[in-house]
Amino acid sequence: MTLINDPSSFRDDAGQIFNFKNKIFRSIKNDYIENYNFIKNQNIYQKLINKNLLINSWEAKDQDLISQNFDDVNKFLEHEKLENWTYPYEWTFSQLKKAAIFHLDFQLFLLEKNISLKDASAYNIQFKNNKPIFIDILSLQKLDKNTPWQGHKQFCEEFLNPLVFSSYFNLPFNEIYKGNLNGISNRQIINLLGYKIFFSFSLLINVYFTESLSSKSGISKKKKERSYKQSQYFLINNLKKFIKKLKYKKNKSTWSDYSNTHSYSKESEIEKENILKSYISKNKPYSLIDIGCNDGKYSFLAKELGVKKVIALDYDMQCLEKIELDNNDIVTPLYADLSNISPSIGWDNKEKKSFIERFNFDFSLSFAVVHHLAISKNIPLYEVLNFIIKLSKKGLIEFIPNDDEMVKRMKMFKTKAYDDYNLENFLKILNENCNTVKVHELKGSKRKIVYYEKSA
């Protein structure tokens, strides 16, 4: 069997990620083995794993793997395989804030053990049961007290600046972040804030001065010895205090109060819930995606019905911010504009897998979302439905007819005829791609709830 190199690990000269026998492995190159053995002998890895701060990892024993011929590889580690893989530009404000504070606490723990991180990439953190966990074991190295914090600028651009952007301007950072995988640069945030940056001591020392120093050519001579370890403590604690105070203003948006403002009659709403309950009880899915979740009402209903992993997907940050992360290890909010979904992006278009490549669910909910994509965003109906059924083999999709008041308002200023948008074509597309299609009437409404199930 052949090792499949994960292209996302091309930057790391200490080792690489491989897929082998549907498992995740990481090579440790000869140049890094001294660092690895030092940290291992201090029992740091195991302490971090026991505290659920570092992804569970162990030295590989698979002989088929070990026998692979790599001149520069000393050994292989096997990593726990996470259920869902997400990126910072898909996180909510609260998730990025939680990840940032986690990263700083992680560094403080390491500094106490005379260990440091050689970078500060937001991509080194994933969420497991809605709690951040560090995944790049080769980022740890012996502390060099004569070297300043190596990841300072990177932390600012991948954690701090996106949070500042959203907090100061009350706008989602996601689309800007998606356009630049390295986050929001110090120069960008300085230009955006203008004179306001001088009113924040934290932004002044972490962003403005850092950018000023990095743009100067040459290296200044040190006139006296200084403790870079102590300066790291100062910067990390200052950032942690500042980030904890950042907030995303919770204003009402079009969809954030959808459960109370929708146009359904009480009878239709109850019928919709009963249909959902019936299919969840029958299929007993482990995982579910709620596409266009609004305030998460149906996501939490799925949780109550026993679903163990739920992704609540929406592009409205106000909606997503209402989904509480604390004491909730099942429903995970995720930002995505389905008309501009995350493709495979990065170096050579391979570094970051597309949304569909990363996710597969047992069940999907697509309530009151198809008409938005087909009419508001002009995406052909067959493309919308094909996207949905690629994410899950079973699910419920709501069809809202042309004579519905919402659809009428959407078409009001449109010149396109939308001849493909009708129930007959909707069912035709599903029947061509699925084994089972069942239509359920909503009492007191012309809207339909359609169950689909496709073959393996």
Side-chain angles (χ1 to χ4, degrees), residues 30 70 72 149 169 303 405:
N30 294 325
F70 287 89
D72 60 343
W149 178 12
F169 300 103
K303 174 186 174 182
E405 286 303 317

Side-chain angles (χ1 to χ4, degrees), residues 137-368:
I137 198 167
L138 302 189
S139 280
L140 281 66
Q141 62 183 8
K142 288 188 286 186
L143 176 67
D144 181 357
K145 295 180 181 179
N146 297 317
T147 302
W149 178 12
Q150 292 175 276
H152 185 202
K153 183 178 181 181
Q154 187 177 25
F155 179 88
C156 291
E157 296 188 334
E158 296 192 15
F159 287 103
L160 176 66
N161 294 347
L163 290 171
V164 168
F165 174 81
S166 287
S167 182
Y168 276 59
F169 300 103
N170 205 41
L171 293 169
F173 57 78
N174 308 77
E175 295 302 328
I176 294 178
Y177 209 141
K178 187 168 68 174
N180 181 1
L181 298 186
N182 298 317
I184 300 178
S185 71
N186 286 342
R187 176 51 53 192
Q188 283 177 305
I189 211 71
I190 289 168
N191 290 340
L192 284 168
L193 290 178
Y195 68 88
K196 290 181 182 178
I197 200 166
F198 297 106
F199 295 105
S200 168
F201 175 72
S202 293
L203 293 179
L204 199 61
I205 62 171
N206 288 293
V207 178
Y208 186 83
F209 287 156
T210 298
E211 179 64 18
S212 298
L213 289 171
S214 66
S215 63
K216 290 180 179 179
S217 59
I219 303 173
S220 60
K221 295 179 180 179
K222 291 187 289 184
K223 295 181 180 179
K224 60 180 180 179
E225 291 186 5
R226 56 176 297 181
S227 170
Y228 281 111
K229 183 176 180 180
Q230 292 306 313
S231 70
Q232 281 197 56
Y233 275 122
F234 170 77
L235 288 171
I236 290 170
N237 282 310
N238 176 271
L239 281 165
K240 185 178 172 182
K241 184 177 179 181
F242 178 76
I243 289 172
K244 280 185 173 181
K245 293 180 180 179
L246 293 176
K247 297 184 183 300
Y248 188 80
K249 297 182 184 69
K250 293 186 178 180
N251 301 323
K252 279 191 177 181
S253 66
T254 305
W255 310 111
S256 60
D257 198 31
Y258 185 73
S259 292
N260 297 320
T261 60
H262 60 67
S263 57
Y264 297 97
S265 67
K266 189 66 178 176
E267 186 181 29
S268 295
E269 186 180 357
I270 293 172
E271 181 70 11
K272 192 174 180 179
E273 289 181 17
N274 286 337
I275 292 169
L276 171 60
K277 289 176 182 177
S278 172
Y279 279 102
I280 295 292
S281 299
K282 178 183 176 182
N283 287 284
K284 295 180 172 55
Y286 174 82
S287 62
L288 178 147
I289 183 168
D290 185 357
I291 304 171
C293 66
N294 294 319
D295 55 12
K297 172 183 176 179
Y298 297 108
S299 293
F300 282 98
L301 180 56
K303 174 186 174 182
E304 291 172 11
L305 293 168
V307 180
K308 299 302 181 186
K309 293 295 173 187
V310 179
I311 293 291
L313 200 68
D314 211 290
Y315 74 96
D316 189 321
M317 188 61 77
Q318 293 292 347
C319 286
L320 297 172
E321 280 293 299
K322 292 183 72 173
I323 298 175
E324 185 62 53
L325 295 174
D326 295 333
N327 303 315
N328 165 33
D329 59 356
I330 292 177
V331 179
T332 301
L334 213 61
Y335 176 97
D337 179 352
L338 295 182
S339 66
N340 185 25
I341 201 70
S342 304
S344 297
I345 53 181
W347 171 251
D348 200 24
N349 288 333
K350 295 177 183 177
E351 183 185 356
K352 304 289 180 284
K353 291 183 178 179
S354 69
F355 190 87
I356 290 177
E357 289 175 307
R358 286 183 283 125
F359 293 102
N360 190 267
F361 299 88
D362 298 326
F363 206 87
S364 72
L365 300 181
S366 303
F367 289 161

